Amino acid sequence: MVPTVGNIVPRYQVGCTKADTSKRYLEGWHKKQSSTDDVRKSKSGYFTAFGVDLSPDNMAVAIVYFVQGVLGLARLAVSFYLKDDLHLDPAETAVISGFSSLPWLIKPIYGFISDSIPLYGYRRRSYLILSGFLGTLSWSLMATVVNSKYGAGFSILLGSLSVAFSDVVVDSMVVERARGESQSTSGSLQSLCWGSSAFGGIVSAYFSGSLVDAYGVRFVT
């Protein structure tokens, strides 16, 4: 029997059974193992930006947002090309600009297409690659063979379609990755997206005028 003094219980007797000790030991061991696993996950071999591992999928998201920001390079060149090379008046330029915004008005359709019609087993990556090819084709046409307002309007419309479609796809990828994650992880993904877009905008604002002045509108488009 454990001796007591009055109502005072010795320290080693309070909650100190063998079962409790074993349970605490196991809990501490599991916590240690989980923390070790977290460290391994954070050391996945990828570089990080804004607290997000730059895996191939996250890099694709960042690149698309960067392209959206850096498109100011092409917009400036296109405006000078329409005005100085094709000699379009403001009304005709406004019509072409209006048509180029049409793909952005039907963005929900792209979401239905990518969700319902996978290409080669992929619902996201295949459409990203297809959008990249469309954008490359449109700006290549603008830089080489387009010599009329109709060709310019078609090329600009095609480029706008590629950017709008890729925007829907990467937004879907961000939502899928943020689902079930902590608030900090979701915020880090958003920071990566808008940070990439802002960086592209800074690059565009700094270099667009000097590139158009030095190399001409055909080179920049």
Side-chain angles (χ1 to χ4, degrees), residues 115-165:
D115 288 338
S116 305
I117 310 174
L119 296 180
Y120 300 102
Y122 294 100
R123 294 183 295 115
R124 306 290 182 240
R125 298 177 183 177
S126 54
Y127 284 103
L128 272 182
I129 295 173
L130 180 61
S131 298
F133 280 127
L134 286 178
T136 302
L137 175 63
S138 66
W139 294 116
S140 298
L141 291 175
M142 281 290 293
T144 54
V145 301
V146 170
N147 290 308
S148 67
K149 60 182 178 181
Y150 300 106
F154 174 76
S155 297
I156 295 171
L157 180 66
L158 194 62
S160 180
L161 173 63
S162 70
V163 177
F165 208 123

Side-chain angles (χ1 to χ4, degrees), residues 3-55:
T4 60
V5 180
N7 294 327
I8 301 176
V9 181
R11 290 178 59 187
Y12 64 82
Q13 189 179 358
V14 180
C16 197
T17 63
K18 287 185 178 180
D20 290 339
T21 304
S22 301
K23 184 178 180 181
R24 289 171 184 166
Y25 174 79
L26 289 174
E27 288 177 353
W29 184 79
H30 284 303
K31 288 180 180 179
K32 183 178 180 181
Q33 288 298 110
S34 63
S35 64
T36 304
D37 291 339
D38 291 340
V39 172
R40 289 173 183 170
K41 290 177 183 177
S42 64
K43 295 180 179 179
S44 56
Y46 298 115
F47 292 102
T48 60
F50 300 100
V52 180
D53 288 338
L54 295 181
S55 63

Side-chain angles (χ1 to χ4, degrees), residues 170-185:
V170 296
D171 285 346
S172 301
M173 294 172 64
V174 171
V175 170
E176 289 175 351
R177 277 156 180 72
R179 186 179 300 157
E181 297 289 345
S182 62
Q183 187 174 1
S184 61
T185 302

Side-chain angles (χ1 to χ4, degrees), residues 69-136:
V70 84
L71 274 179
L73 288 171
R75 292 191 190 100
L76 182 64
V78 166
S79 64
F80 277 100
Y81 175 72
L82 296 177
K83 179 175 68 72
D84 296 337
D85 290 21
L86 298 183
H87 307 289
L88 301 185
D89 56 43
E92 292 174 319
T93 303
V95 170
I96 292 179
S97 300
F99 274 110
S100 68
S101 64
L102 288 179
W104 292 89
L105 302 178
I106 55 174
K107 287 176 64 177
I109 296 178
Y110 312 146
F112 288 124
I113 292 175
S114 64
D115 288 338
S116 305
I117 310 174
L119 296 180
Y120 300 102
Y122 294 100
R123 294 183 295 115
R124 306 290 182 240
R125 298 177 183 177
S126 54
Y127 284 103
L128 272 182
I129 295 173
L130 180 61
S131 298
F133 280 127
L134 286 178
T136 302

Side-chain angles (χ1 to χ4, degrees), residues 50 52 58 174 177-178 184-194:
F50 300 100
V52 180
N58 290 338
V174 171
R177 277 156 180 72
S184 61
T185 302
S186 302
S188 297
L189 285 171
Q190 290 295 320
S191 298
L192 176 66
C193 296
W194 294 108

